[in-house]
Amino acid sequence: MTNYLVTYHGGGMPETEEGRQQAMAAFGAWVGKVGDALSDPGAPLGAAMTVSADGVHPGAADGPVAGYSVLRAADIESAVSLVRDHPFVGRGGSLTVLEAVSP
């Protein structure tokens, strides 16, 4: 099995406490659905520093990432199928699925 990094872009959490609780419940239901394929549920991301050939700068690199998860799947198509109905997409966000290439 291969690991796949799923990055979260846009979307965000609802503004009300009730909305946040519903969003977390929907995420919990998705976690339960994908089961052992989810090797790291990830976390929302906060402050960022960018490291480049120009040095170290505060802030995110182009195309900010708002969170991540790590899945195990046989191939990228299988990994994509695991996130097609992810609740983050339903809140207006998008997900990028990337193969984590082992050295």
Side-chain angles (χ1 to χ4, degrees):
M1 291 289 224
T2 302
N3 282 331
Y4 291 88
L5 176 66
V6 179
T7 57
Y8 297 56
H9 306 265
M13 288 297 279
E15 294 184 19
T16 67
E17 181 61 29
E18 180 181 358
R20 286 188 291 277
Q21 288 176 0
Q22 290 172 347
M24 292 306 296
F27 180 76
W30 175 78
V31 167
K33 179 181 163 207
V34 300
D36 290 343
L38 186 65
S39 63
D40 178 349
L45 301 173
M49 297 290 287
T50 297
V51 178
S52 70
D54 296 330
V56 178
H57 306 282
D62 292 339
V65 175
Y68 75 95
S69 297
V70 178
L71 296 170
R72 280 189 305 266
D75 52 45
I76 196 162
E77 291 82 12
S78 298
V80 167
S81 72
L82 291 168
V83 299
R84 281 196 188 278
D85 61 350
H86 194 291
F88 187 75
V89 175
R91 295 196 319 262
S94 61
L95 303 171
T96 300
V97 178
L98 306 121
E99 182 176 352
V101 179
S102 299

